[in-house]
Amino acid sequence: MDGPPGNDCCAICHGHFNIACQANCSHWFCGDCIMLVWHHGSVLQPCKCPLCRRQITLLVPGEASLRERNDPHVAEVLGKIERYNHLFGGNTSSLVQRMQDLPFLLRRLLREIMDPQRSLPVVIKARVYIAVK
């Protein structure tokens, strides 16, 4: 799956996904919405998933969002997501958190491996390496 399910909606705004991104807990949100949740709390800590309350340590934009990167608004939101990942992507020090993230990362890795026309994003490679290590 390269994006959220077609019949799903953002759990924050309850609208169609705009700049969809998937959290490490496998839930999908609008990029703007999850960034607002993060800024509403402490910007010094990762936010928690509004659905399952797990700490979000990785946000992966959907393929459609990445294709629209030339749009200034989309580029701005993707930049915020990259900053979020940079700040909190490497802070998974607990073994429990790594184990919780592993199914998400392995599903993503298998999907990438099975499709020879896609290259594996550096963020995913790094997260899988860190999680397995």
Side-chain angles (χ1 to χ4, degrees):
M1 179 182 352
D2 294 328
N7 60 347
D8 203 1
C9 66
C10 174
I12 300 169
C13 69
H14 303 288
H16 293 290
F17 290 100
N18 183 19
I19 313 172
C21 61
Q22 187 177 28
N24 56 298
C25 60
S26 297
H27 291 118
W28 287 90
F29 304 100
C30 297
D32 276 331
C33 292
I34 199 65
M35 289 293 99
L36 286 172
V37 168
W38 175 44
H39 285 289
H40 181 70
S42 171
V43 294
L44 301 176
Q45 299 176 19
C47 64
K48 292 188 177 184
C49 174
L51 295 172
C52 67
R53 304 307 297 159
R54 266 188 63 199
Q55 193 174 59
I56 297 176
T57 57
L58 179 68
L59 291 168
V60 180
E63 291 294 322
S65 302
L66 295 173
R67 284 192 295 268
E68 297 174 15
R69 184 169 224 130
N70 293 333
D71 180 311
H73 177 67
V74 173
E76 178 185 348
V77 173
L78 291 176
K80 290 177 183 178
I81 291 170
E82 287 174 15
R83 180 173 175 258
Y84 183 92
N85 288 336
H86 177 73
L87 289 171
F88 305 115
N91 291 341
T92 6
S93 58
S94 80
L95 180 62
V96 172
Q97 183 66 45
R98 288 182 184 184
M99 295 305 291
Q100 288 176 337
D101 290 349
L102 198 56
F104 168 76
L105 296 169
L106 288 176
R107 277 194 309 270
R108 192 90 181 171
L109 178 65
L110 286 173
R111 191 171 51 240
E112 295 288 338
I113 290 172
M114 299 307 260
D115 188 355
Q117 296 179 350
R118 293 176 54 176
S119 64
L120 193 60
V122 175
V123 172
I124 301 298
K125 286 181 188 176
R127 292 293 295 163
V128 169
Y129 176 75
I130 290 168
V132 172
K133 196 173 181 186

